[in-house]
Amino acid sequence: MANNEDQFKKVISHAKEYGYVFQSSEIYDGLSAVYDYAQNGAQLKKNIREYWWKAMVQMHENIVGIDAAIFMHPTTWKASGHVDAFNDPLIDNKDSKKRYRADVLIEDYVGKLDTKIEKEVKKAAKRFGDAFDKDQFLATNPRVLGYKEKGDAILKRMGQSLEKEDLADVKDLIEELEIACPLSGSKNWTDVKQFNLMFGTKLGASAENAMDLYLRPETAQGIFVNFLNVQKTGRMKIPFGIAQTGKAFRNEIVARQFIFRMREFEQMEMQFFVKPGTQKEWYEQWKETRLKWHLSLGMGPDNYRFHDHEKLAHYADAASDIEFRFPFGFKELEGIHSRTDFDLKSHEEFSGKKLRYFDHEDNESYIPYVVETSIGLDRMFLAVFSNSLVEEELDNNTSRVVLKLPAVLAPTKAAIFPLVKKDGLPEIARQIVEDLKWEFDVLYDEKDAVGKRYRRQDAAGTPFCITVDHDSIADNTVTIRHRDTMEQKRVPIADLKSIIAEEVSMKKWLMKM
Ligand code: ATP
């Protein structure tokens, strides 16, 4: 399917039709930018979370996991800088009355230049055939270089203006580039303003002595405030990491694009504490390790790229995004940030408690530096789901819709069918379900013709279908069909467990890292 709006619409409707993602409170017409994960979606999400946790926590002797509360003492957010600096630059279109993030409008403009570069590459690849050298073309073609230079200059100027909080220049840039409201085409803009993204709430029974709280906008701070508790009780030695997954909340203004940008979402973060001065090496190492994790899922190296930040957040000395090719273009999927000692130092100041590490080898105490990896679970879900959905033309002039989820993440690993609903076949199929369900998520289906059942499981993303027929009674064998190749094989019932395990075991997939 093409990379376009149509494809994205298909992704959204497929997610609903096959029980992956529903609009929240749909019977009340939904709540904007809030979604619920349905029976298959919850399972896919859980599998992605587990794949991350295994790679980050279980496979690293020096990384441990915690589960901090969503509510935190309100001073946390003063120390972290979120009360003062967690703002988005907003701009309204006076004609359409629509509100946008000024930086996103400008980034989308630059994204269009990137699309032009991709088109040039495609054209040239066609023209030169086998002799085409993409890297050389990108480095030398004057048109490509022109687009790239223009894009870089725009992002640099925007980064510098946001850094200096020169919002008037951000507006000037939008006007100079003649950026129009995507909805109305109007170029009639208001000034750019800042808006805080944290959701407030109250703790306490009566209005007078209630305490103002925030819903956490990131999970990282729950790790920073527990740094010394974990280090001491876990007898952790630097370098070491603390990981966690959990909900975060942001009052996103431009909450569009399905589960890409939500108001309530889930993060999977790991803060890695290192000796000051070594952060650059660790930053490079974590960039590489995290990209390998993505690539281990086999979704194609061309779908990922790094985007190093020009504009650094108030806490960072280096930052890069892993971007993924979503149906609406390359966008941030994960951030890798070198956060210096900003957070721990600030929590020391605000709490009056020492947050230092005593290094027995060097006989000195210091505030560690932090390199973090932060990925949105929902964005990862969208990356996997949208990339897996394909429509295939088949030999017999028909087509099929198939959700080629990496088998390790698929919600259901195998569907078991009796060929017909009689002659003792359902009993055998049920017995197979009973045997397999201890290890794998499996389901039983006897409704409709078997071809229709195959199609249903293809579209739902199930990697294996197992069919019990009359021969099974005599020789204890069944056919097992692979979702992606549609190949069918006759195998002994006793081998099913090992055949499925071979394809879905996390070990096998993570070994590719
Ligand atoms: P963006 O620039 O897209 O707003 P960000 O740079 O603010 O993202 P971070 O603060 O670095 O994001 O958060 C880390 C990760 O959390 C992001 O890479 C993304 O995957 C995820 N994330 C952030 N905001 C949202 C959201 N509103 N909905 C879903 N996922 C999100």
Side-chain angles (χ1 to χ4, degrees), residues 86 88 101 103-104 107 197 217-218 250 252 259-267 269 309 315 321-322 332-335 337 372 374-380:
F86 194 51
D88 273 349
R101 259 173 62 181
D103 55 334
V104 170
E107 278 167 8
L197 294 176
E218 62 175 24
R250 295 182 189 178
E252 299 279 5
I259 56 171
F260 179 82
R261 190 178 297 290
M262 299 198 287
R263 299 209 159 97
E264 173 181 344
F265 59 101
E266 192 164 337
Q267 290 185 313
E269 295 198 302
H309 283 210
Y315 51 75
D321 297 336
I322 295 178
E332 171 177 345
L333 170 59
E334 168 157 9
H337 309 126
E372 83 171 353
S374 173
I375 172 169
L377 176 48
D378 314 88
R379 273 191 202 179
M380 184 62 196

Side-chain angles (χ1 to χ4, degrees), residues 122-390:
K122 264 198 197 136
K123 263 200 306 197
K126 225 182 197 172
R127 193 155 18 104
F128 294 115
D130 287 346
F132 181 59
D133 179 340
K134 186 174 166 189
D135 291 336
Q136 193 194 347
F137 180 78
L138 286 175
T140 53
N141 179 274
R143 215 171 295 161
V144 166
L145 291 177
Y147 289 138
K148 180 129 187 28
E149 215 169 278
K150 185 172 178 192
D152 289 348
I154 292 170
L155 290 179
K156 186 159 181 208
R157 174 164 157 203
M158 179 181 86
Q160 285 169 345
S161 305
L162 287 173
E163 187 103 30
K164 286 185 292 187
E165 294 190 19
D166 183 356
L167 299 181
D169 189 59
V170 177
K171 183 183 180 187
D172 287 348
L173 186 56
I174 289 177
E175 287 182 333
E176 281 166 36
L177 297 172
E178 301 192 357
I179 295 176
C181 164
L183 211 72
S184 64
S186 151
K187 294 175 192 160
N188 192 6
W189 296 107
T190 63
D191 288 341
V192 178
K193 294 181 293 272
Q194 296 282 11
F195 177 85
N196 195 290
L197 294 176
M198 282 197 292
F199 279 107
T201 185
K202 287 191 188 298
L203 180 106
S206 65
E208 307 86 73
N209 46 27
M211 187 182 198
D212 284 314
L213 290 189
Y214 293 108
L215 298 184
R216 67 179 178 195
E218 62 175 24
T219 55
Q221 299 304 324
I223 288 179
F224 291 128
V225 300
N226 279 304
F227 155 73
L228 215 50
N229 281 339
V230 173
Q231 191 270 320
K232 291 218 158 109
T233 56
R235 293 161 53 239
M236 309 300 290
K237 280 209 184 73
I238 274 187
F240 74 91
I242 306 178
Q244 77 168 326
T245 70
K247 288 274 172 113
F249 303 82
R250 295 182 189 178
N251 198 0
E252 299 279 5
I253 296 311
V254 189
R256 285 195 226 105
Q257 295 170 322
F258 194 39
I259 56 171
F260 179 82
R261 190 178 297 290
M262 299 198 287
R263 299 209 159 97
E264 173 181 344
F265 59 101
E266 192 164 337
Q267 290 185 313
M268 306 192 286
E269 295 198 302
M270 192 277 299
Q271 272 67 37
F272 200 69
F273 299 89
V274 305
K275 190 171 174 161
T278 64
Q279 71 271 21
K280 191 86 195 135
E281 285 155 50
W282 284 111
Y283 168 72
E284 294 301 336
Q285 185 160 330
W286 278 111
K287 272 175 75 174
E288 193 187 320
T289 307
R290 291 303 304 149
L291 184 63
K292 279 192 189 152
W293 180 84
H294 287 284
L295 295 178
S296 73
L297 288 168
M299 299 200 296
D302 289 350
N303 287 324
Y304 302 86
R305 70 180 188 197
F306 280 113
H307 168 232
D308 296 327
H309 283 210
E310 283 284 336
K311 180 203 169 209
L312 293 172
H314 56 280
Y315 51 75
D317 71 358
S320 186
D321 297 336
I322 295 178
E323 295 187 335
F324 184 77
R325 196 198 298 268
F326 288 97
F328 38 84
F330 270 105
K331 293 274 177 207
E332 171 177 345
L333 170 59
E334 168 157 9
I336 293 115
H337 309 126
S338 174
R339 288 181 83 121
T340 70
D341 58 356
F342 173 85
D343 302 271
L344 290 179
K345 208 169 168 179
S346 188
H347 285 303
E348 255 201 19
E349 276 163 27
F350 277 83
S351 68
K353 309 266 164 41
K354 286 255 172 289
L355 291 174
R356 298 184 181 223
Y357 172 78
F358 185 75
D359 193 326
H360 286 278
E361 268 160 39
D362 295 344
N363 210 18
E364 59 170 345
S365 107
Y366 54 78
I367 300 180
Y369 269 45
V370 172
V371 174
E372 83 171 353
T373 70
S374 173
I375 172 169
L377 176 48
D378 314 88
R379 273 191 202 179
M380 184 62 196
F381 183 112
L382 183 59
V384 171
F385 192 89
S386 61
N387 189 68
S388 300
L389 185 61
V390 286

Side-chain angles (χ1 to χ4, degrees), residues 9 14 25 32-33 45 90 119 142 149 160 197 277 309 312 337 342 355 360 383 439 456 464:
K9 281 190 189 139
H14 197 88
S25 343
S32 150
K45 203 173 159 198
L90 297 182
K119 275 195 187 140
E149 215 169 278
Q160 285 169 345
L197 294 176
H309 283 210
L312 293 172
H337 309 126
F342 173 85
L355 291 174
H360 286 278
E439 267 113 331
R456 198 149 58 219
F464 293 109

